[in-house]
Amino acid sequence: MAAGSGRGSRPRRVSLPGVAELLRPATPGPAVPGPFAGDGRQASGREAHPQKITVYLPAAELLEIERARVALRAYGITVDRGRLVREALAVLLADLDAEGETSLLAGRLRDTT
């Protein structure tokens, strides 16, 4: 059989979110103490997520994520890697929204590019 043939001859199409969905504000969650309290950005919790990305990390970075999980567990907070990454992403994106060009994320990316 030729590549791509088999059940049906139609190519597989991936459904991507539209611009409005990508740029919609995050839903506000409960108040979170700290520098980003009241910023309106809340990471999703343990739920089924229909979209997926794959991120490749060097062993050292994966080890840092595991160290963070152990540190959080010592504070009585148990999370999986996915939740940890979603929360970290929410914090960085909230800082980007609030601080723009002077945000931590913009500064770090500017320093490495």
Side-chain angles (χ1 to χ4, degrees):
M1 272 188 184
S5 63
R7 292 188 173 170
S9 60
R10 293 177 23 191
R12 182 175 174 189
R13 302 201 83 184
V14 176
S15 175
L16 297 175
V19 171
E21 185 177 348
L22 289 172
L23 299 180
R24 72 173 167 75
T27 57
V32 177
F36 303 111
D39 61 19
R41 186 176 298 276
Q42 182 70 24
S44 59
R46 286 192 62 100
E47 60 189 55
H49 296 93
Q51 276 69 38
K52 173 186 170 184
I53 65 169
T54 300
V55 179
Y56 293 92
L57 301 173
E61 289 177 357
L62 186 57
L63 184 59
E64 288 300 318
I65 290 173
E66 291 302 324
R67 284 185 181 141
R69 289 183 63 221
V70 169
L72 288 167
R73 194 176 313 134
Y75 306 139
I77 303 166
T78 303
V79 295
D80 60 38
R81 288 185 293 203
R83 176 73 188 275
L84 177 65
V85 169
R86 287 190 304 274
E87 288 293 341
L89 183 60
V91 169
L92 282 173
L93 293 178
D95 182 47
L96 179 62
D97 287 346
E99 303 297 327
E101 193 173 343
T102 61
S103 68
L104 179 63
L105 182 61
R108 288 179 61 104
L109 292 173
R110 187 181 304 109
D111 291 344
T112 60
T113 56

